[in-house]
Amino acid sequence: MYDDPEIDWTRVKPYNRASRCLRRENPGDPWVSNRAVGKTLRDADLTDVAAHLADTRPDPTLRRATGKHGGLRVDQIHTTPALAPAIVDYRTVEHDHSDHLGVVAVFDLALVDDSLLDDFT
């Protein structure tokens, strides 16, 4: 997400680089992640479940790639401020049905911060 380590973009197929990186001025310039979406979600006070647990445990393996090719963590789960305290666990799931891993988040709903619930009307 917005604060994940930069990956080796030379291992990523051109169509994925073009859609996930900032535009380059020259063909020889390095590829750099476009983190605008991650920053937008952060600025909306949403919490990236995997990154949150990776930082609080600490366990950097929780930031592992979810795309099966190229090392990209392209799948995330984000929570509202009220749900963030209820994050208990996160894991990826290996399967043969997609070119992405599954992602699972576990929440203890007794830990939801009711004072942060908001009416989105």
Side-chain angles (χ1 to χ4, degrees), residues 27-63:
D29 291 347
W31 291 99
V32 176
S33 302
N34 183 344
R35 297 171 187 258
V37 171
K39 290 177 181 179
T40 299
L41 294 172
R42 176 205 60 201
D43 291 348
D45 291 332
L46 298 179
T47 298
D48 177 345
V49 171
H52 171 75
L53 288 175
D55 294 345
T56 58
R57 285 192 176 164
D59 182 357
T61 66
L62 294 171
R63 292 179 185 267

PDB file of all heavy atoms in Angstrom, residues 27-63:
ATOM      1  N   PRO A  27      12.635   6.575 -21.030  1.00  0.00           N
ATOM      2  CA  PRO A  27      12.582   5.112 -20.957  1.00  0.00           C
ATOM      3  C   PRO A  27      13.581   4.508 -19.971  1.00  0.00           C
ATOM      4  O   PRO A  27      13.312   3.458 -19.400  1.00  0.00           O
ATOM      5  CB  PRO A  27      12.891   4.666 -22.387  1.00  0.00           C
ATOM      6  CG  PRO A  27      12.493   5.814 -23.243  1.00  0.00           C
ATOM      7  CD  PRO A  27      12.776   7.044 -22.416  1.00  0.00           C
ATOM      8  N   GLY A  28      14.693   5.144 -19.729  1.00  0.00           N
ATOM      9  CA  GLY A  28      15.697   4.593 -18.818  1.00  0.00           C
ATOM     10  C   GLY A  28      15.469   4.936 -17.347  1.00  0.00           C
ATOM     11  O   GLY A  28      16.173   4.440 -16.476  1.00  0.00           O
ATOM     12  N   ASP A  29      14.481   5.793 -17.060  1.00  0.00           N
ATOM     13  CA  ASP A  29      14.196   6.165 -15.669  1.00  0.00           C
ATOM     14  C   ASP A  29      13.674   4.959 -14.898  1.00  0.00           C
ATOM     15  O   ASP A  29      13.013   4.077 -15.477  1.00  0.00           O
ATOM     16  CB  ASP A  29      13.156   7.289 -15.617  1.00  0.00           C
ATOM     17  CG  ASP A  29      13.694   8.605 -16.142  1.00  0.00           C
ATOM     18  OD1 ASP A  29      14.926   8.734 -16.316  1.00  0.00           O
ATOM     19  OD2 ASP A  29      12.865   9.511 -16.389  1.00  0.00           O
ATOM     20  N   PRO A  30      13.909   4.905 -13.601  1.00  0.00           N
ATOM     21  CA  PRO A  30      13.409   3.776 -12.804  1.00  0.00           C
ATOM     22  C   PRO A  30      11.884   3.821 -12.667  1.00  0.00           C
ATOM     23  O   PRO A  30      11.269   4.890 -12.716  1.00  0.00           O
ATOM     24  CB  PRO A  30      14.072   3.982 -11.440  1.00  0.00           C
ATOM     25  CG  PRO A  30      14.382   5.436 -11.376  1.00  0.00           C
ATOM     26  CD  PRO A  30      14.654   5.875 -12.793  1.00  0.00           C
ATOM     27  N   TRP A  31      11.298   2.658 -12.502  1.00  0.00           N
ATOM     28  CA  TRP A  31       9.876   2.544 -12.224  1.00  0.00           C
ATOM     29  C   TRP A  31       9.656   2.820 -10.742  1.00  0.00           C
ATOM     30  O   TRP A  31      10.391   2.332  -9.893  1.00  0.00           O
ATOM     31  CB  TRP A  31       9.370   1.147 -12.578  1.00  0.00           C
ATOM     32  CG  TRP A  31       9.362   0.881 -14.048  1.00  0.00           C
ATOM     33  CD1 TRP A  31      10.302   0.209 -14.762  1.00  0.00           C
ATOM     34  CD2 TRP A  31       8.363   1.292 -14.978  1.00  0.00           C
ATOM     35  NE1 TRP A  31       9.959   0.172 -16.090  1.00  0.00           N
ATOM     36  CE2 TRP A  31       8.767   0.827 -16.249  1.00  0.00           C
ATOM     37  CE3 TRP A  31       7.171   2.000 -14.868  1.00  0.00           C
ATOM     38  CZ2 TRP A  31       8.011   1.045 -17.386  1.00  0.00           C
ATOM     39  CZ3 TRP A  31       6.419   2.223 -16.007  1.00  0.00           C
ATOM     40  CH2 TRP A  31       6.844   1.747 -17.256  1.00  0.00           C
ATOM     41  N   VAL A  32       8.604   3.584 -10.432  1.00  0.00           N
ATOM     42  CA  VAL A  32       8.279   3.934  -9.051  1.00  0.00           C
ATOM     43  C   VAL A  32       6.776   3.724  -8.853  1.00  0.00           C
ATOM     44  O   VAL A  32       5.965   4.172  -9.671  1.00  0.00           O
ATOM     45  CB  VAL A  32       8.654   5.407  -8.738  1.00  0.00           C
ATOM     46  CG1 VAL A  32       8.238   5.796  -7.337  1.00  0.00           C
ATOM     47  CG2 VAL A  32      10.140   5.628  -8.957  1.00  0.00           C
ATOM     48  N   SER A  33       6.420   3.071  -7.768  1.00  0.00           N
ATOM     49  CA  SER A  33       5.007   2.799  -7.472  1.00  0.00           C
ATOM     50  C   SER A  33       4.169   4.061  -7.447  1.00  0.00           C
ATOM     51  O   SER A  33       4.595   5.086  -6.927  1.00  0.00           O
ATOM     52  CB  SER A  33       4.871   2.149  -6.087  1.00  0.00           C
ATOM     53  OG  SER A  33       5.594   0.971  -6.015  1.00  0.00           O
ATOM     54  N   ASN A  34       2.962   3.959  -7.976  1.00  0.00           N
ATOM     55  CA  ASN A  34       1.981   5.025  -7.835  1.00  0.00           C
ATOM     56  C   ASN A  34       1.175   4.719  -6.574  1.00  0.00           C
ATOM     57  O   ASN A  34       0.383   3.784  -6.549  1.00  0.00           O
ATOM     58  CB  ASN A  34       1.066   5.084  -9.052  1.00  0.00           C
ATOM     59  CG  ASN A  34       0.087   6.229  -8.973  1.00  0.00           C
ATOM     60  OD1 ASN A  34      -0.135   6.808  -7.919  1.00  0.00           O
ATOM     61  ND2 ASN A  34      -0.519   6.545 -10.093  1.00  0.00           N
ATOM     62  N   ARG A  35       1.382   5.484  -5.539  1.00  0.00           N
ATOM     63  CA  ARG A  35       0.760   5.217  -4.243  1.00  0.00           C
ATOM     64  C   ARG A  35      -0.445   6.122  -3.965  1.00  0.00           C
ATOM     65  O   ARG A  35      -0.889   6.238  -2.826  1.00  0.00           O
ATOM     66  CB  ARG A  35       1.820   5.361  -3.159  1.00  0.00           C
ATOM     67  CG  ARG A  35       2.927   4.311  -3.363  1.00  0.00           C
ATOM     68  CD  ARG A  35       4.112   4.522  -2.459  1.00  0.00           C
ATOM     69  NE  ARG A  35       5.188   3.624  -2.794  1.00  0.00           N
ATOM     70  CZ  ARG A  35       5.478   2.517  -2.124  1.00  0.00           C
ATOM     71  NH1 ARG A  35       4.772   2.177  -1.075  1.00  0.00           N
ATOM     72  NH2 ARG A  35       6.481   1.761  -2.504  1.00  0.00           N
ATOM     73  N   ALA A  36      -0.986   6.731  -5.014  1.00  0.00           N
ATOM     74  CA  ALA A  36      -2.087   7.680  -4.837  1.00  0.00           C
ATOM     75  C   ALA A  36      -3.317   7.035  -4.200  1.00  0.00           C
ATOM     76  O   ALA A  36      -3.937   7.618  -3.312  1.00  0.00           O
ATOM     77  CB  ALA A  36      -2.458   8.318  -6.174  1.00  0.00           C
ATOM     78  N   VAL A  37      -3.689   5.836  -4.620  1.00  0.00           N
ATOM     79  CA  VAL A  37      -4.876   5.196  -4.057  1.00  0.00           C
ATOM     80  C   VAL A  37      -4.657   4.891  -2.578  1.00  0.00           C
ATOM     81  O   VAL A  37      -5.527   5.154  -1.740  1.00  0.00           O
ATOM     82  CB  VAL A  37      -5.253   3.923  -4.841  1.00  0.00           C
ATOM     83  CG1 VAL A  37      -6.348   3.141  -4.137  1.00  0.00           C
ATOM     84  CG2 VAL A  37      -5.673   4.281  -6.255  1.00  0.00           C
ATOM     85  N   GLY A  38      -3.508   4.347  -2.236  1.00  0.00           N
ATOM     86  CA  GLY A  38      -3.214   4.052  -0.837  1.00  0.00           C
ATOM     87  C   GLY A  38      -3.239   5.294   0.034  1.00  0.00           C
ATOM     88  O   GLY A  38      -3.773   5.287   1.148  1.00  0.00           O
ATOM     89  N   LYS A  39      -2.683   6.372  -0.472  1.00  0.00           N
ATOM     90  CA  LYS A  39      -2.682   7.631   0.289  1.00  0.00           C
ATOM     91  C   LYS A  39      -4.095   8.194   0.412  1.00  0.00           C
ATOM     92  O   LYS A  39      -4.452   8.766   1.441  1.00  0.00           O
ATOM     93  CB  LYS A  39      -1.736   8.638  -0.362  1.00  0.00           C
ATOM     94  CG  LYS A  39      -0.279   8.243  -0.203  1.00  0.00           C
ATOM     95  CD  LYS A  39       0.638   9.203  -0.920  1.00  0.00           C
ATOM     96  CE  LYS A  39       2.089   8.785  -0.770  1.00  0.00           C
ATOM     97  NZ  LYS A  39       3.000   9.685  -1.484  1.00  0.00           N
ATOM     98  N   THR A  40      -4.899   8.022  -0.626  1.00  0.00           N
ATOM     99  CA  THR A  40      -6.285   8.484  -0.574  1.00  0.00           C
ATOM    100  C   THR A  40      -7.061   7.710   0.491  1.00  0.00           C
ATOM    101  O   THR A  40      -7.811   8.305   1.277  1.00  0.00           O
ATOM    102  CB  THR A  40      -6.961   8.337  -1.947  1.00  0.00           C
ATOM    103  OG1 THR A  40      -6.248   9.145  -2.888  1.00  0.00           O
ATOM    104  CG2 THR A  40      -8.415   8.745  -1.908  1.00  0.00           C
ATOM    105  N   LEU A  41      -6.883   6.395   0.540  1.00  0.00           N
ATOM    106  CA  LEU A  41      -7.557   5.595   1.564  1.00  0.00           C
ATOM    107  C   LEU A  41      -7.054   5.971   2.960  1.00  0.00           C
ATOM    108  O   LEU A  41      -7.854   6.078   3.897  1.00  0.00           O
ATOM    109  CB  LEU A  41      -7.351   4.109   1.282  1.00  0.00           C
ATOM    110  CG  LEU A  41      -8.009   3.585   0.009  1.00  0.00           C
ATOM    111  CD1 LEU A  41      -7.585   2.154  -0.273  1.00  0.00           C
ATOM    112  CD2 LEU A  41      -9.516   3.720   0.065  1.00  0.00           C
ATOM    113  N   ARG A  42      -5.766   6.188   3.106  1.00  0.00           N
ATOM    114  CA  ARG A  42      -5.206   6.636   4.385  1.00  0.00           C
ATOM    115  C   ARG A  42      -5.807   7.978   4.788  1.00  0.00           C
ATOM    116  O   ARG A  42      -6.209   8.168   5.943  1.00  0.00           O
ATOM    117  CB  ARG A  42      -3.688   6.760   4.281  1.00  0.00           C
ATOM    118  CG  ARG A  42      -3.038   7.316   5.555  1.00  0.00           C
ATOM    119  CD  ARG A  42      -1.708   7.995   5.289  1.00  0.00           C
ATOM    120  NE  ARG A  42      -1.865   9.116   4.366  1.00  0.00           N
ATOM    121  CZ  ARG A  42      -0.877   9.625   3.656  1.00  0.00           C
ATOM    122  NH1 ARG A  42       0.336   9.120   3.738  1.00  0.00           N
ATOM    123  NH2 ARG A  42      -1.079  10.648   2.848  1.00  0.00           N
ATOM    124  N   ASP A  43      -5.899   8.904   3.856  1.00  0.00           N
ATOM    125  CA  ASP A  43      -6.435  10.230   4.143  1.00  0.00           C
ATOM    126  C   ASP A  43      -7.919  10.187   4.490  1.00  0.00           C
ATOM    127  O   ASP A  43      -8.443  11.116   5.109  1.00  0.00           O
ATOM    128  CB  ASP A  43      -6.181  11.179   2.982  1.00  0.00           C
ATOM    129  CG  ASP A  43      -4.700  11.520   2.826  1.00  0.00           C
ATOM    130  OD1 ASP A  43      -3.908  11.200   3.745  1.00  0.00           O
ATOM    131  OD2 ASP A  43      -4.340  12.091   1.787  1.00  0.00           O
ATOM    132  N   ALA A  44      -8.602   9.119   4.113  1.00  0.00           N
ATOM    133  CA  ALA A  44     -10.004   8.922   4.486  1.00  0.00           C
ATOM    134  C   ALA A  44     -10.111   8.214   5.839  1.00  0.00           C
ATOM    135  O   ALA A  44     -11.192   7.787   6.233  1.00  0.00           O
ATOM    136  CB  ALA A  44     -10.715   8.114   3.409  1.00  0.00           C
ATOM    137  N   ASP A  45      -8.976   8.096   6.543  1.00  0.00           N
ATOM    138  CA  ASP A  45      -8.905   7.440   7.859  1.00  0.00           C
ATOM    139  C   ASP A  45      -9.232   5.959   7.801  1.00  0.00           C
ATOM    140  O   ASP A  45      -9.710   5.384   8.781  1.00  0.00           O
ATOM    141  CB  ASP A  45      -9.797   8.140   8.891  1.00  0.00           C
ATOM    142  CG  ASP A  45      -9.290   9.512   9.256  1.00  0.00           C
ATOM    143  OD1 ASP A  45      -8.057   9.728   9.173  1.00  0.00           O
ATOM    144  OD2 ASP A  45     -10.105  10.370   9.622  1.00  0.00           O
ATOM    145  N   LEU A  46      -8.974   5.319   6.658  1.00  0.00           N
ATOM    146  CA  LEU A  46      -9.160   3.882   6.561  1.00  0.00           C
ATOM    147  C   LEU A  46      -7.857   3.180   6.910  1.00  0.00           C
ATOM    148  O   LEU A  46      -6.769   3.690   6.637  1.00  0.00           O
ATOM    149  CB  LEU A  46      -9.624   3.493   5.157  1.00  0.00           C
ATOM    150  CG  LEU A  46     -10.979   4.079   4.750  1.00  0.00           C
ATOM    151  CD1 LEU A  46     -11.328   3.659   3.328  1.00  0.00           C
ATOM    152  CD2 LEU A  46     -12.074   3.663   5.714  1.00  0.00           C
ATOM    153  N   THR A  47      -7.966   2.020   7.519  1.00  0.00           N
ATOM    154  CA  THR A  47      -6.802   1.253   7.971  1.00  0.00           C
ATOM    155  C   THR A  47      -6.604   0.039   7.082  1.00  0.00           C
ATOM    156  O   THR A  47      -7.532  -0.761   6.898  1.00  0.00           O
ATOM    157  CB  THR A  47      -7.000   0.797   9.432  1.00  0.00           C
ATOM    158  OG1 THR A  47      -7.102   1.953  10.256  1.00  0.00           O
ATOM    159  CG2 THR A  47      -5.851  -0.064   9.909  1.00  0.00           C
ATOM    160  N   ASP A  48      -5.413  -0.116   6.541  1.00  0.00           N
ATOM    161  CA  ASP A  48      -5.008  -1.287   5.769  1.00  0.00           C
ATOM    162  C   ASP A  48      -4.735  -2.407   6.773  1.00  0.00           C
ATOM    163  O   ASP A  48      -3.788  -2.331   7.560  1.00  0.00           O
ATOM    164  CB  ASP A  48      -3.765  -0.923   4.958  1.00  0.00           C
ATOM    165  CG  ASP A  48      -3.165  -2.063   4.160  1.00  0.00           C
ATOM    166  OD1 ASP A  48      -3.503  -3.239   4.405  1.00  0.00           O
ATOM    167  OD2 ASP A  48      -2.326  -1.774   3.300  1.00  0.00           O
ATOM    168  N   VAL A  49      -5.572  -3.431   6.785  1.00  0.00           N
ATOM    169  CA  VAL A  49      -5.500  -4.484   7.799  1.00  0.00           C
ATOM    170  C   VAL A  49      -4.133  -5.160   7.829  1.00  0.00           C
ATOM    171  O   VAL A  49      -3.523  -5.310   8.889  1.00  0.00           O
ATOM    172  CB  VAL A  49      -6.631  -5.520   7.578  1.00  0.00           C
ATOM    173  CG1 VAL A  49      -6.442  -6.731   8.472  1.00  0.00           C
ATOM    174  CG2 VAL A  49      -7.981  -4.875   7.813  1.00  0.00           C
ATOM    175  N   ALA A  50      -3.633  -5.594   6.678  1.00  0.00           N
ATOM    176  CA  ALA A  50      -2.348  -6.303   6.634  1.00  0.00           C
ATOM    177  C   ALA A  50      -1.212  -5.411   7.115  1.00  0.00           C
ATOM    178  O   ALA A  50      -0.366  -5.839   7.910  1.00  0.00           O
ATOM    179  CB  ALA A  50      -2.064  -6.813   5.231  1.00  0.00           C
ATOM    180  N   ALA A  51      -1.172  -4.182   6.658  1.00  0.00           N
ATOM    181  CA  ALA A  51      -0.107  -3.257   7.058  1.00  0.00           C
ATOM    182  C   ALA A  51      -0.187  -2.958   8.551  1.00  0.00           C
ATOM    183  O   ALA A  51       0.838  -2.895   9.244  1.00  0.00           O
ATOM    184  CB  ALA A  51      -0.183  -1.975   6.246  1.00  0.00           C
ATOM    185  N   HIS A  52      -1.389  -2.769   9.061  1.00  0.00           N
ATOM    186  CA  HIS A  52      -1.585  -2.497  10.487  1.00  0.00           C
ATOM    187  C   HIS A  52      -1.017  -3.633  11.336  1.00  0.00           C
ATOM    188  O   HIS A  52      -0.240  -3.398  12.275  1.00  0.00           O
ATOM    189  CB  HIS A  52      -3.073  -2.297  10.777  1.00  0.00           C
ATOM    190  CG  HIS A  52      -3.411  -2.230  12.217  1.00  0.00           C
ATOM    191  ND1 HIS A  52      -3.151  -1.118  12.986  1.00  0.00           N
ATOM    192  CD2 HIS A  52      -3.970  -3.146  13.047  1.00  0.00           C
ATOM    193  CE1 HIS A  52      -3.552  -1.343  14.224  1.00  0.00           C
ATOM    194  NE2 HIS A  52      -4.044  -2.572  14.279  1.00  0.00           N
ATOM    195  N   LEU A  53      -1.395  -4.865  11.009  1.00  0.00           N
ATOM    196  CA  LEU A  53      -0.887  -6.000  11.780  1.00  0.00           C
ATOM    197  C   LEU A  53       0.607  -6.209  11.563  1.00  0.00           C
ATOM    198  O   LEU A  53       1.330  -6.557  12.496  1.00  0.00           O
ATOM    199  CB  LEU A  53      -1.665  -7.266  11.440  1.00  0.00           C
ATOM    200  CG  LEU A  53      -3.086  -7.320  11.983  1.00  0.00           C
ATOM    201  CD1 LEU A  53      -3.793  -8.580  11.481  1.00  0.00           C
ATOM    202  CD2 LEU A  53      -3.112  -7.263  13.496  1.00  0.00           C
ATOM    203  N   ALA A  54       1.076  -5.990  10.339  1.00  0.00           N
ATOM    204  CA  ALA A  54       2.515  -6.131  10.061  1.00  0.00           C
ATOM    205  C   ALA A  54       3.318  -5.171  10.929  1.00  0.00           C
ATOM    206  O   ALA A  54       4.400  -5.520  11.407  1.00  0.00           O
ATOM    207  CB  ALA A  54       2.793  -5.874   8.588  1.00  0.00           C
ATOM    208  N   ASP A  55       2.796  -3.972  11.139  1.00  0.00           N
ATOM    209  CA  ASP A  55       3.505  -2.967  11.933  1.00  0.00           C
ATOM    210  C   ASP A  55       3.355  -3.187  13.435  1.00  0.00           C
ATOM    211  O   ASP A  55       4.288  -2.937  14.190  1.00  0.00           O
ATOM    212  CB  ASP A  55       3.007  -1.565  11.580  1.00  0.00           C
ATOM    213  CG  ASP A  55       3.345  -1.165  10.154  1.00  0.00           C
ATOM    214  OD1 ASP A  55       4.198  -1.830   9.527  1.00  0.00           O
ATOM    215  OD2 ASP A  55       2.738  -0.195   9.662  1.00  0.00           O
ATOM    216  N   THR A  56       2.199  -3.643  13.883  1.00  0.00           N
ATOM    217  CA  THR A  56       1.975  -3.777  15.327  1.00  0.00           C
ATOM    218  C   THR A  56       2.530  -5.065  15.900  1.00  0.00           C
ATOM    219  O   THR A  56       2.824  -5.110  17.098  1.00  0.00           O
ATOM    220  CB  THR A  56       0.473  -3.668  15.676  1.00  0.00           C
ATOM    221  OG1 THR A  56      -0.244  -4.662  14.977  1.00  0.00           O
ATOM    222  CG2 THR A  56      -0.056  -2.288  15.349  1.00  0.00           C
ATOM    223  N   ARG A  57       2.723  -6.098  15.115  1.00  0.00           N
ATOM    224  CA  ARG A  57       3.177  -7.377  15.676  1.00  0.00           C
ATOM    225  C   ARG A  57       4.662  -7.431  16.001  1.00  0.00           C
ATOM    226  O   ARG A  57       4.972  -8.027  17.039  1.00  0.00           O
ATOM    227  CB  ARG A  57       2.771  -8.512  14.754  1.00  0.00           C
ATOM    228  CG  ARG A  57       1.286  -8.776  14.891  1.00  0.00           C
ATOM    229  CD  ARG A  57       0.885 -10.039  14.229  1.00  0.00           C
ATOM    230  NE  ARG A  57      -0.536 -10.279  14.483  1.00  0.00           N
ATOM    231  CZ  ARG A  57      -1.266 -11.129  13.820  1.00  0.00           C
ATOM    232  NH1 ARG A  57      -0.710 -11.841  12.871  1.00  0.00           N
ATOM    233  NH2 ARG A  57      -2.531 -11.283  14.110  1.00  0.00           N
ATOM    234  N   PRO A  58       5.621  -6.965  15.375  1.00  0.00           N
ATOM    235  CA  PRO A  58       5.782  -6.683  13.946  1.00  0.00           C
ATOM    236  C   PRO A  58       6.016  -7.975  13.165  1.00  0.00           C
ATOM    237  O   PRO A  58       6.734  -8.860  13.628  1.00  0.00           O
ATOM    238  CB  PRO A  58       7.013  -5.789  13.892  1.00  0.00           C
ATOM    239  CG  PRO A  58       7.833  -6.203  15.063  1.00  0.00           C
ATOM    240  CD  PRO A  58       6.852  -6.678  16.124  1.00  0.00           C
ATOM    241  N   ASP A  59       5.441  -8.038  11.980  1.00  0.00           N
ATOM    242  CA  ASP A  59       5.565  -9.206  11.113  1.00  0.00           C
ATOM    243  C   ASP A  59       5.501  -8.751   9.659  1.00  0.00           C
ATOM    244  O   ASP A  59       4.423  -8.683   9.067  1.00  0.00           O
ATOM    245  CB  ASP A  59       4.456 -10.212  11.413  1.00  0.00           C
ATOM    246  CG  ASP A  59       4.564 -11.473  10.577  1.00  0.00           C
ATOM    247  OD1 ASP A  59       5.471 -11.561   9.707  1.00  0.00           O
ATOM    248  OD2 ASP A  59       3.717 -12.371  10.765  1.00  0.00           O
ATOM    249  N   PRO A  60       6.655  -8.421   9.064  1.00  0.00           N
ATOM    250  CA  PRO A  60       6.655  -7.918   7.688  1.00  0.00           C
ATOM    251  C   PRO A  60       6.130  -8.924   6.665  1.00  0.00           C
ATOM    252  O   PRO A  60       5.748  -8.535   5.566  1.00  0.00           O
ATOM    253  CB  PRO A  60       8.119  -7.570   7.429  1.00  0.00           C
ATOM    254  CG  PRO A  60       8.901  -8.315   8.446  1.00  0.00           C
ATOM    255  CD  PRO A  60       7.997  -8.508   9.631  1.00  0.00           C
ATOM    256  N   THR A  61       6.056 -10.212   7.009  1.00  0.00           N
ATOM    257  CA  THR A  61       5.530 -11.191   6.047  1.00  0.00           C
ATOM    258  C   THR A  61       4.051 -10.958   5.759  1.00  0.00           C
ATOM    259  O   THR A  61       3.539 -11.444   4.749  1.00  0.00           O
ATOM    260  CB  THR A  61       5.727 -12.638   6.537  1.00  0.00           C
ATOM    261  OG1 THR A  61       4.934 -12.859   7.716  1.00  0.00           O
ATOM    262  CG2 THR A  61       7.191 -12.933   6.824  1.00  0.00           C
ATOM    263  N   LEU A  62       3.366 -10.216   6.624  1.00  0.00           N
ATOM    264  CA  LEU A  62       1.956  -9.917   6.369  1.00  0.00           C
ATOM    265  C   LEU A  62       1.781  -8.982   5.172  1.00  0.00           C
ATOM    266  O   LEU A  62       0.688  -8.858   4.633  1.00  0.00           O
ATOM    267  CB  LEU A  62       1.302  -9.325   7.611  1.00  0.00           C
ATOM    268  CG  LEU A  62       1.201 -10.296   8.791  1.00  0.00           C
ATOM    269  CD1 LEU A  62       0.736  -9.574  10.035  1.00  0.00           C
ATOM    270  CD2 LEU A  62       0.277 -11.459   8.453  1.00  0.00           C
ATOM    271  N   ARG A  63       2.866  -8.335   4.764  1.00  0.00           N
ATOM    272  CA  ARG A  63       2.825  -7.472   3.578  1.00  0.00           C
ATOM    273  C   ARG A  63       3.211  -8.250   2.315  1.00  0.00           C
ATOM    274  O   ARG A  63       3.542  -7.658   1.299  1.00  0.00           O
ATOM    275  CB  ARG A  63       3.780  -6.294   3.747  1.00  0.00           C
ATOM    276  CG  ARG A  63       3.371  -5.308   4.812  1.00  0.00           C
ATOM    277  CD  ARG A  63       4.431  -4.200   4.890  1.00  0.00           C
ATOM    278  NE  ARG A  63       4.186  -3.280   5.956  1.00  0.00           N
ATOM    279  CZ  ARG A  63       3.494  -2.141   5.834  1.00  0.00           C
ATOM    280  NH1 ARG A  63       2.986  -1.808   4.677  1.00  0.00           N
ATOM    281  NH2 ARG A  63       3.314  -1.360   6.865  1.00  0.00           N
TER     282      ARG A  63
END
